[in-house]
Amino acid sequence: MDNEKLEIEKKVNEGINLFENDKYEESIKIFEKLKENSKTSIIGIFFLGIIEIKRKNLKAAKKFFFDFLKINKNHEDANLNLGLVYLEEKEFEESLIYFKKVLTINKKNLNALYHSGLTYFYLRKLEDSIKYLNLSTEINKNFVPSYVTLGHIYLRLKEFNKALENYKKVLELDPKRIRTKFNISWCYFALSNLELAFENYEFRKEKIIPEGRYKEVLNKFKSTEWNGHDLNNKKILIICEQGYGDNINFFRYLFWLHEKFNVKIIFYAHKKLAHLFHNTPFQIISDLNDVNHIDYHQHLLSLPRICYKESKKFEKNINYININQIKDSYWKKKLSSFKKPVIAINWQGDHRYTYDDMRSIPLSYFNDTLNNENFEFISLQKNFGSEQIKKNNFENLLIDFSKEIDSGENAFEDTISILKNVECVITSDTAIAHLAGTLNVKTFLLLAFNPEWRWYIELNHKCFYPNMNIIQQSKFNDWKGVFHELNKRLEKKDF
């Protein structure tokens, strides 16, 4: 009997080793064979479910775990894995059923406690999330994921000191988790501790292996990172980074360098954005082959830190954007045919972004706004998000230009001309906000309760866009209040 147990254990370990090394087919053969044996069937079923989770075949994984629970309904790990599958499928209520089942079997199951907290976080039931995450840290005081999620919760609730406490605990336990410094900087921007905010925002350069454009620059040039050196009669390369909105906003700092020094400034830009900057006194490139030598380099979003350290101020808006005159004439004519003043709206940013839930707004909230008969409404939404027009039956209230605009190689070429020829813009926190702001177009920016770090600079220092009206949630997840205020402003035509 002992020999039989040893042989089974050997087979199980062999199968585990195979799927951990991504040799799924070979592993499946071993566990299928164990499944066929009445004595080892339950082992085979369990590990076949695990393999399908690893292969992202969630439907098959669920079937194996359902079969397993028919044999042993109180198995801790089978219930846990079924909960994890439902969590992966974003079936949050279903996942909680199985996590709670695990906790009735073992109230100290760390994974069930943590994933219950995580699930409640996704459901925006933050008090419940905090409860389970705190329970998980009582089981394991060094469990980093719980502190990360607690930090995210307190960040959303604008309890910045509590968020900092948890994020600092993360770095204490795992110093390599440098992206946590982004969240720390966000907290410090909100608290107006700009020195620590800028210091932590430099996390972007702490990656062990430089990536992307930065890596290309380091590989090609023997240049020095600029941190305030005298640039007179020198050549500096500024590297674009982050999203389109940040590049549009913080490009203004190149003008600061230009005024301060007699320096050749080269901007290494996103290819699709390069056309925006052509009417400026800088060399705009999207390929390093266009440059043979530089003395210094710096990331675009490090310039505000260096400027603020020296002058204790932020640079004001500069409308530098290059206009395509043919596009401008076309949209001016098209929009002038409308009988009412035209308002352009945009509601959805990149849905893949970690904090998209704190930026984008479901289009359904615009219902009362779109029914305002004093205006015509047009959509600036492209790609993901535009499907919400049909979903909400807004086809007769909101004109969808998504198939007509910005289909060429240059980003925003049509959008720029539309913005110049509308009454005002209503937008969530997307690049459109920065584009409209830079163009000095009248803009309503709708912000979440705790907006991203950059908007704390604007809220506290009023330095970004003079023609921008910010309407911000007064409590977590309260878009209704934001639209109540917006609609009042529109009725009064208070732009």
Side-chain angles (χ1 to χ4, degrees), residues 324-368:
N324 181 317
Q325 295 302 325
I326 295 172
K327 296 277 189 185
D328 196 53
S329 297
Y330 170 80
W331 284 106
K332 186 173 184 178
K333 183 179 179 180
K334 190 176 183 82
L335 294 172
S336 66
S337 66
F338 287 82
K339 295 179 181 179
K340 301 174 186 176
V342 178
I343 294 178
I345 71 169
N346 186 72
W347 58 91
Q348 176 70 53
D350 185 349
H351 66 286
R352 298 164 297 181
Y353 179 59
T354 305
Y355 298 99
D356 185 55
D357 66 306
M358 297 170 70
R359 301 196 310 183
S360 297
I361 308 167
L363 183 60
S364 57
Y365 283 105
F366 282 83
N367 182 66
D368 291 346

Side-chain angles (χ1 to χ4, degrees), residues 34 255 375:
L34 289 171
F255 291 92
F375 304 99

Side-chain angles (χ1 to χ4, degrees), residues 18-29 51 54-55:
L18 286 167
F19 78 65
E20 284 181 344
N21 287 283
D22 298 334
K23 296 179 180 179
Y24 298 123
E25 298 304 325
E26 295 173 55
S27 181
I28 285 170
K29 286 178 184 177
I51 291 168
K54 285 206 74 174
R55 297 207 301 180

Side-chain angles (χ1 to χ4, degrees), residues 181-192:
K181 291 186 178 182
F182 167 72
N183 303 98
I184 289 174
S185 71
W186 186 335
C187 293
Y188 281 129
F189 275 118
L191 294 168
S192 285

Side-chain angles (χ1 to χ4, degrees), residues 212-221 223 236-240 266-269 283-294 296-297:
R213 293 178 181 83
Y214 184 40
K215 181 179 179 181
E216 293 173 25
V217 170
L218 294 182
N219 286 343
K220 180 167 182 178
F221 303 111
S223 55
I236 185 170
L237 178 76
I238 304 300
I239 308 164
C240 72
I266 305 165
F267 185 51
Y268 189 8
Q283 182 180 351
I284 310 300
I285 65 167
S286 54
D287 188 332
L288 275 191
N289 290 327
D290 297 333
V291 179
N292 295 320
H293 167 75
I294 59 172
Y296 294 96
H297 65 265

Side-chain angles (χ1 to χ4, degrees), residues 128-146:
D128 289 321
S129 183
I130 291 168
K131 170 188 167 184
Y132 280 96
L133 293 168
N134 281 335
L135 286 171
S136 72
T137 60
E138 288 176 14
I139 302 300
N140 183 347
K141 295 189 183 299
N142 296 324
F143 192 64
V144 171
S146 291

